[in-house]
Amino acid sequence: MNEKLSRPQFNQMDTTEKQALMESLAARYTMTFLGLHTFDHWGQSCTTGIFEKDGREFVFVPGDTVTLGWEQFAVGLNQESREELEYLFQEWEMEQDPTELIGESMAPVRQAAIDPMLVGRELEEINWEPVKMDDPRLTAHPDWLKEFRDFAWSDSSSLTLHQSARIERTEDGFHTWIYHCTDYDALLAGLEKQGLSLPTADEWAYLCGGGCRTLFPWGDGLDYSMRLRWFEDMDEDENRPYDMEEPNFFGLSIAYDPYMREVVQSDRLTTCGGDGGCNICGGLGPFLGFLPCSPHCKPEVQEDKELNGDYDFYRPIIRVENHD
């Protein structure tokens, strides 16, 4: 790896040098360089470049050699997390050490050499295509249009017809989408055509945790002072993001919603960063509900190749080739 693109060296470079390096990356991958920005979160920080290409924002993430996976607490559970687990163990009449229970969901400890990459800052939907209301594929379904009309007169903010169509009410009118059934191979092929790929499970763990040795990027327990999706009503101030959605130390919005599985590059359909909400639906509370969002959680190999537009999302990346 070009030393300058690895995190220890990259973090020591001065602004002028970084600026020049980012401009050369922008030229190489035909992107617009939007500028340098410092992302500082959960005890890690990185001053890096933000880019734009085809309406997406990317950040440059330097490479590194890191330890991934989990076998024991680095610091130990905080009191609230311990109490939450003790309560569940009593409910289940189980005698188990939390380390043992958590360890069952975690990937083994390993060293990984991560190459530098340009990474999509936001998760993207897979199966939904935005369309105009007069799109013939919509108008061919009078029953969908009737549902849309009923929705328009209601005070709901969105309506999803299962794996068919969706409409959302926004300040600037209605937005509509139609659903396409698609599978893992088609997603990979479509990305490849655009010169993009998906992170591998190890790359994803690095993007999410940055090599942290704690269970979560912020520590071993859940931080209950955070605004957590599914556990806090946001009515008073709808527009602020949930804490985990805020850009992390690499500038990425990652692993913030257990219902959202991030599809990663593998030989079979594999996801990280969420279990489709299984633990939350099962009433297991916030700690175990968010456990699948840990960077160290075992990647989940799915049964088939079909992607589910309600739970599966992707994050495009460009691997930075080595030019000295």
Side-chain angles (χ1 to χ4, degrees):
M1 186 196 310
N2 175 347
E3 287 300 301
K4 287 181 177 172
L5 300 178
S6 82
R7 189 157 53 157
Q9 281 80 355
F10 182 73
N11 284 351
Q12 286 173 354
M13 286 165 68
D14 65 28
T15 310
T16 323
E17 212 179 346
K18 266 189 191 172
Q19 178 93 11
L21 182 61
M22 296 297 101
E23 283 167 0
S24 72
L25 286 179
R28 194 194 309 170
Y29 295 104
T30 56
M31 303 173 110
T32 308
F33 174 51
L34 301 178
L36 289 174
H37 189 90
T38 301
F39 296 101
D40 193 337
H41 212 29
W42 298 322
Q44 298 187 61
S45 117
C46 188
T47 300
T48 188
I50 302 180
F51 303 82
E52 196 266 343
K53 182 172 186 160
D54 301 330
R56 295 184 171 104
E57 273 198 7
F58 288 83
V59 283
F60 170 70
V61 174
D64 205 351
T65 298
V66 287
T67 304
L68 303 172
W70 191 90
E71 59 191 359
Q72 64 192 46
F73 294 113
V75 182
L77 281 178
N78 55 14
Q79 192 178 342
E80 297 103 317
S81 300
R82 216 171 35 245
E83 284 170 3
E84 187 185 326
L85 288 178
E86 279 166 10
Y87 171 76
L88 285 173
F89 289 171
Q90 281 170 355
E91 288 282 292
W92 300 332
E93 297 177 352
M94 264 173 54
E95 299 229 347
Q96 195 177 16
D97 179 343
T99 311
E100 207 183 317
L101 174 80
I102 292 164
E104 289 165 9
S105 311
M106 295 295 126
V109 173
R110 62 210 183 274
Q111 286 283 110
I114 307 293
D115 287 331
M117 47 192 147
L118 293 152
V119 183
R121 296 189 62 189
E122 302 288 342
L123 269 187
E124 299 189 24
E125 290 192 311
I126 293 174
N127 307 62
W128 294 98
E129 178 196 349
V131 294
K132 297 264 190 292
M133 195 65 106
D134 58 2
D135 189 290
R137 293 166 298 176
L138 261 187
T139 52
H141 294 271
D143 50 330
W144 295 1
L145 295 176
K146 182 189 178 309
E147 295 246 24
F148 279 8
R149 274 195 298 277
D150 293 346
F151 159 80
W153 289 104
S154 75
D155 48 14
S156 305
S157 58
S158 69
L159 167 74
T160 302
L161 307 176
H162 182 63
Q163 298 194 350
S164 306
R166 187 175 91 200
I167 184 166
E168 283 179 11
R169 185 192 310 272
T170 65
E171 285 169 7
D172 53 358
F174 295 106
H175 294 266
T176 49
W177 289 261
I178 57 172
Y179 189 89
H180 300 282
C181 288
T182 185
D183 69 12
Y184 187 51
D185 295 340
L187 172 67
L188 294 177
L191 286 170
E192 201 176 321
K193 274 192 192 133
Q194 303 171 63
L196 301 169
S197 44
L198 295 174
T200 62
D202 280 0
E203 286 168 339
W204 184 90
Y206 171 65
L207 296 174
C208 176
C212 67
R213 297 312 303 133
T214 46
L215 188 59
F216 296 104
W218 54 83
D220 274 332
L222 197 57
D223 178 352
Y224 294 82
S225 68
M226 293 201 288
R227 297 187 298 275
L228 298 174
R229 187 181 278 276
W230 308 109
F231 290 98
E232 185 182 336
D233 202 359
M234 295 290 265
D235 283 351
E236 307 108 69
D237 188 359
E238 284 294 336
N239 293 328
R240 40 175 206 165
Y242 289 91
D243 288 42
M244 289 186 194
E245 242 169 300
E246 299 273 10
N248 74 355
F249 36 79
F250 288 137
L252 305 172
S253 184
I254 190 167
Y256 53 85
D257 184 344
Y259 277 84
M260 294 168 82
R261 306 187 297 214
E262 289 208 27
V263 179
V264 294
Q265 183 105 31
S266 185
D267 48 3
R268 292 180 55 193
L269 172 53
T270 302
T271 58
C272 292
D275 61 355
C278 295
N279 285 0
I280 291 181
C281 274
L284 301 189
F287 183 88
L288 293 178
F290 274 91
L291 193 61
C293 294
S294 159
H296 308 302
C297 208
K298 267 183 204 147
E300 205 179 333
V301 180
Q302 305 297 334
E303 306 272 297
D304 58 19
K305 289 186 168 187
E306 197 66 33
L307 291 160
N308 182 323
D310 296 330
Y311 300 111
D312 294 327
F313 297 82
Y314 74 101
R315 178 183 305 279
I317 68 161
I318 298 169
R319 289 192 179 79
V320 174
E321 289 157 32
N322 216 342
H323 289 232
D324 282 320

